[in-house]
Each structure stands twice: as C-alpha cells, then as structure tokens.
C-alpha cells in the first residue's frame, strides 16, 4: 500500500471555487435501490477514503447513499472546511429548492461545495433546462451550494442553458476515458471556461478490456512503477479533467493516490488519446445514444 504524503492538487473553477483533482465516488459499487436503512459498509468505505486523503466526496440523490456520507463525515470528525462535497439533483424538472434541502438534511451539512443537475435527459425543451438552471442559481445565491454545475450535458444542452444563464455552470461531470472522448465537447467546454469532471475514468482498464490501449497502458504502468489504473487517472489529471473513482479496498484507494507522484508527457497523453479513438465504449446512458455516437 502506498504511503505518500503528496498534497492534493486543485483546479480553480470559473467562480473561483477550488476543487480537489481526485474525487471519491459513492455511486456504482455503493448504489442502493432505496435509502430506508444506512449501509455500514458504505459508511466505513467513505471513512477510509477520508482517512487516506480523499477530501473530494462525490454523491447524488439517485445513489441513495447521502445518509451514509453524512454519517461518515460526522464520524470522521474532520473539519468541514477541509472537505469538498458534491451531490446532484436527479431531475432538472424537479423542485430543485426542495431537493437541495433534502440532500443537506441527509448529508447533515449546512452547505454543499458543488451541486449538479445529474442529467438533462428528462427535460423536454430548452425552456425546461433554462428554468432548472435558474433554480440552481437561486440555490447558489442562498449559500446552500458554493458552486453549481451540470452532469451528462452535451453541447446542445449547455448552449440552451447558457442562453439565459446569469451564472455560468462551473463544471460538467461526464463519462470520460480513452474510449469515450466526446470529440468536440471537450473543446467546447474550454471555449466556455467550463471545467470537466470524469466519472468512470478507469473504464479502459476495467470493463472495456481488452482494447487497443492495453499495451500502451501496460508500458506506461511499467515505466512509472504504478498500475494501469493510476495511468488512467493521471491521463485525466494531465488534461485538467477531475477524475472520480471509487473502491471498497483501502490498499487500492491508497495506491490510486500514486497518480499524484508523476506526470505523463504531452506525447504520452496524446498517444493514449489516439489509441483510444480506435474503439468506442459507453458504459452509461447507452439507451440515450446510437451505438456509434461518440458525442
């Protein structure tokens, strides 16, 4: 298990908020079908992540693990100011003011560092997206969220939102890895000063294997004395993309932090991008896209 004391780098968002460059996620492996009870295994996993130095904790009302995160934060007895907590409202057409209050109660917090709209897909019109964003702006103005953003938005959704926005989304959290690079979406984010966060950043080394990146990932892992998963995380970080990862294993979580101890060269980042374009794999929201849609 790695025993590194490397400061966590941060990315400054367009509103001045500083977000830690690696997040610990409580979806996927920790997802629950309901929130009637508190899962102690999840609580302990979050406490372990905090102990190891994961100050950026990523949640969503859809994961049904906000209660667990609230308990873990409380039992960790860590200064709230040291944490960066993200959660998400599931439906842009929902009562967002009510949703943030419900999340704060479950998390046992007075504010969220980053509040996101989880996806745009239930919105029927641009006006739905614009109304949702106005409600998000009200949440930020109330102080219940320090920063506001979106998740799973495509360029068309961002354009619709920006058309009437008074506050620009600070970040868009999307599935991002070598086999889903979203082509023009990333440059669009850059042009609008909207940061990118990556969920499922380890896809190329997990459920999308085997693939064209395998040999290069193995070569780079050997070069830097780390795992291919740490190369996948570093590939995101070296593009100023904030990866969200998770594990219930303390050793694996500790080892992931070794990605902070080195950098890939620009050529290595580009080589992985090029190899990744030889395959397309989308792990989430497949029903919303055609099989070959890489947007």
């Amino acid at each position: 298990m790695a025993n590194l004391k490397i400061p966590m780098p941060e990315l400054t968002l367009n509103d001045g908020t500083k977000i830690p460059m690696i997040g610990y996620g409580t979806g996927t492996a920790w997802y629950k079908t309901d929130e009637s009870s508190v899962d102690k295994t999840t609580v302990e996993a979050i406490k372990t992540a905090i102990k190891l130095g994961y100050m950026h904790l990523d949640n969503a009302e859809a994961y049904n693990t906000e209660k667990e995160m609230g308990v873990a934060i409380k039992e960790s007895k860590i200064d709230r100011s040291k944490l960066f907590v993200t959660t998400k409202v599931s439906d842009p057409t929902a009562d967002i003011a009510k949703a943030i209050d419900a999340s704060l109660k479950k998390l046992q917090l007075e504010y969220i560092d980053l509040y996101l709209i989880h996806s745009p897909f239930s919105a029927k019109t641009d006006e739905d997206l614009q109304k949702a964003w106005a409600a998000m702006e009200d949440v930020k103005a109330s102080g219940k969220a320090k920063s506001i953003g979106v998740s799973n938005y495509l360029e068309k959704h961002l354009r619709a939102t920006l058309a009437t926005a008074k506050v620009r989304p600070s970040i868009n959290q999307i599935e991002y890895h070598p086999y889903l690079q979203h082509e023009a979406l990333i440059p669009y984010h850059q042009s609008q000063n909207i940061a990118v966060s990556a969920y499922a950043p380890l896809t190329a080394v997990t459920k999308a294997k085997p693939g064209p990146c395998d040999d290069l990932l193995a070569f780079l892992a050997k070069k830097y004395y780390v795992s291919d998963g740490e190369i996948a995380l570093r590939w995101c970080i070296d593009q100023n993309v904030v990866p969200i990862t998770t594990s219930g294993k303390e050793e694996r979580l500790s080892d992931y932090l070794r990605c902070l101890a080195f950098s890939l060269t620009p050529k290595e980042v580009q080589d992985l991008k090029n190899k990744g374009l030889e395959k397309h794999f989308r792990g989430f929201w497949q029903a919303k896209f055609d099989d070959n849609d890489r947007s």
Side-chain angles (χ1 to χ4, degrees), residues 8 13 24 32 37 78 93 109 114 119 135 138 168 179 191 200-201 206 218 224 230 249 251 253 255 261 263 284:
M8 178 67 70
L13 304 179
Y24 179 80
K32 291 162 42 188
S37 62
I78 190 166
T93 64
L109 298 176
L114 178 61
S119 85
D138 288 343
R168 188 173 295 266
Y179 300 140
S191 74
T206 53
Y224 291 106
E230 288 144 60
K249 297 179 180 179
E251 182 174 2
L253 275 180
D255 287 349
S263 296
F284 298 85

Side-chain angles (χ1 to χ4, degrees), residues 175-244:
E175 180 181 351
Y176 185 73
H177 48 77
Y179 300 140
L180 185 58
Q181 299 181 41
H182 298 276
E183 299 180 344
L185 182 59
I186 302 302
Y188 180 73
H189 282 99
Q190 294 168 342
S191 74
Q192 299 300 315
N193 194 23
I194 297 172
V196 177
S197 179
Y199 67 82
L202 302 180
T203 296
V205 303
T206 53
K207 57 186 175 182
K209 292 186 76 170
C213 288
D214 291 357
D215 289 345
L216 180 54
L217 285 164
F219 170 81
L220 293 171
K222 184 176 181 180
K223 174 183 175 180
Y224 291 106
Y225 300 97
V226 295
S227 71
D228 53 2
E230 288 144 60
I231 297 297
L233 294 173
R234 189 70 220 187
W235 182 76
C236 290
I237 293 170
D238 283 331
Q239 298 177 79
N240 282 328
V241 173
V242 179
I244 309 296

Side-chain angles (χ1 to χ4, degrees), residues 83-126:
L83 292 174
F84 188 99
V85 178
T86 298
T87 197
K88 313 172 192 75
V89 56
S90 298
D91 184 354
T93 64
D95 185 335
I96 289 175
K98 184 177 179 180
I100 182 72
D101 285 344
S103 287
L104 287 170
K105 183 177 180 179
K106 286 179 280 189
L107 289 163
Q108 302 182 57
L109 298 176
E110 294 182 355
Y111 68 91
I112 303 297
D113 295 277
L114 178 61
Y115 196 46
L116 307 179
I117 297 175
H118 206 153
S119 85
F121 301 122
S122 62
K124 300 293 190 293
T125 65
D126 287 355

